[in-house]
C-alpha cells in the first residue's frame, strides 16, 4: 500500500499550500499487489534448472541375444558344457543335453557370470555312449530372474531381440533358446568293420 506524505509549504501572501507526494518505492496501481523486488525475481529465475526438473528415464535398449557353446568329454565319458553369452550377469539358464537316438535328456541350471556359464557333468555314471547329441540352452522366463536381470531384459522379456528369441510356451513373455548338435566318439560304422577279411 502506498504511503502518502503530506506537507505544508508556506507561501508568502497566499496562505498555506497543501502538497501531497507519493512514496516512489513500491507504489503500484493496485492495492492488492505486493511491492516487487527486482533482485528477488532475478534470484528466483537464476536457480539451476535441474533442481526443479525431474531426471528423464533412460531409454530402453533391445538386447540382441547371442549364445555359443563348446562341449568337452571328461575321462569318465561324462560331458561338460561351457557357454559364452551377452546375457546379463546372474541370468539363469537351463542347459539340456539330449541323446538323438533315445531322446534321453540330462538337465542342469547355470548362472551367467562375466559373459559365460558352465554346466555339467552330463550323462549316466557309466558315461555317454558314442553317437549324436543336441545341447539346448534356454534363458528362463523373466519372472524367475533376479531384479537386476529383469531391469535389462524387461519384466516379460520384452527387451530381448534376435533370432534366438521366441514366445514362452507358458505365455510368460519372451525367452531365448539356443541349440547345437555334436558327436561323441565316432559315428558307428556297421558294414566292413564287422566283416572279417581273410
Amino acid at each position: 500500500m502506498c504511503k502518502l506524505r503530506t506537507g505544508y509549504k508556506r507561501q508568502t501572501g497566499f496562505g498555506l499550500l497543501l502538497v501531497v507526494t507519493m512514496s516512489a518505492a513500491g507504489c503500484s496501481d493496485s492495492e492488492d499487489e505486493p511491492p516487487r523486488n527486482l533482485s528477488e525475481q532475478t534470484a528466483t529465475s537464476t536457480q539451476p534448472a535441474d533442481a526443479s526438473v525431474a531426471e528423464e528415464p533412460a531409454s530402453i535398449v533391445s538386447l540382441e541375444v547371442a549364445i555359443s557353446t563348446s562341449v568337452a568329454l571328461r575321462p569318465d565319458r561324462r560331458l561338460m558344457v561351457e557357454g559364452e553369452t551377452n546375457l546379463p550377469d546372474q541370468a539363469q539358464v537351463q542347459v539340456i543335453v539330449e541323446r538323438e537316438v533315445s531322446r534321453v535328456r540330462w538337465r542342469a541350471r547355470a548362472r551367467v557370470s562375466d559373459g559365460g556359464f558352465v554346466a555339467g557333468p552330463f550323462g549316466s555314471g557309466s558315461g555317454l555312449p558314442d553317437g549324436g547329441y543336441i545341447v539346448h540352452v534356454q534363458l528362463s522366463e523373466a519372472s524367475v530372474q533376479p531384479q537386476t536381470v529383469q531391469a535389462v531384459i524387461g519384466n516379460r522379456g520384452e527387451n530381448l531381440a534376435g533370432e534366438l528369441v521366441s514366445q514362452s510356451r507358458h505365455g510368460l513373455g519372451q525367452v531365448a533358446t539356443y541349440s547345437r548338435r555334436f558327436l561323441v566318439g565316432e559315428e558307428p560304422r556297421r558294414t566292413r568293420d564287422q566283416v572279417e577279411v581273410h
Side-chain angles (χ1 to χ4, degrees):
M1 185 173 183
C2 294
K3 295 183 180 178
L4 295 180
R5 230 186 276 163
T6 57
Y8 295 94
K9 200 170 184 182
R10 193 173 182 129
Q11 296 283 334
T12 344
F14 293 102
L16 295 174
L17 176 66
L18 181 62
V19 178
V20 179
T21 59
M22 298 178 101
S23 169
C27 284
S28 66
D29 294 337
S30 169
E31 290 184 6
D32 296 335
E33 210 175 285
R36 295 186 182 186
N37 186 337
L38 183 60
S39 63
E40 284 180 8
Q41 288 176 340
T42 306
T44 304
S45 64
T46 57
Q47 286 182 354
D50 59 348
S52 59
V53 178
E55 289 184 11
E56 293 182 10
S59 59
I60 296 171
V61 178
S62 292
L63 175 64
E64 186 93 16
V65 179
I67 301 172
S68 63
T69 58
S70 61
V71 295
L73 194 63
R74 301 186 343 165
D76 61 359
R77 292 190 61 86
R78 296 174 78 198
L79 198 73
M80 295 297 296
V81 176
E82 293 186 14
E84 291 184 0
T85 181
N86 63 344
L87 292 169
D89 279 0
Q90 299 304 309
Q92 296 180 17
V93 293
Q94 182 172 227
V95 181
I96 301 168
V97 172
E98 178 182 358
R99 188 174 182 206
E100 287 182 325
V101 173
S102 64
R103 298 296 180 196
V104 173
R105 293 179 168 201
W106 297 270
R107 300 171 187 265
R109 293 189 185 276
R111 284 187 186 268
V112 175
S113 177
D114 294 328
F117 58 89
V118 178
F122 295 96
S124 61
S126 58
L128 297 176
D130 286 358
Y133 293 83
I134 301 173
V135 60
H136 303 279
V137 178
Q138 183 173 20
L139 173 69
S140 302
E141 288 87 356
S143 58
V144 301
Q145 298 290 351
Q147 290 294 325
T148 54
V149 176
Q150 288 186 30
V152 177
I153 69 172
N155 294 333
R156 295 179 57 81
E158 64 270 18
N159 298 342
L160 298 174
E163 53 187 42
L164 300 180
V165 177
S166 61
Q167 288 295 323
S168 165
R169 288 179 297 175
H170 309 295
L172 299 175
Q174 294 193 131
V175 293
T177 307
Y178 161 92
S179 296
R180 177 186 167 205
R181 183 178 185 266
F182 64 95
L183 297 174
V184 171
E186 296 179 8
E187 287 187 295
R189 291 175 296 167
R190 296 181 179 156
T191 54
R192 297 186 208 159
D193 288 356
Q194 295 180 358
V195 176
E196 189 173 346
V197 179
H198 295 279

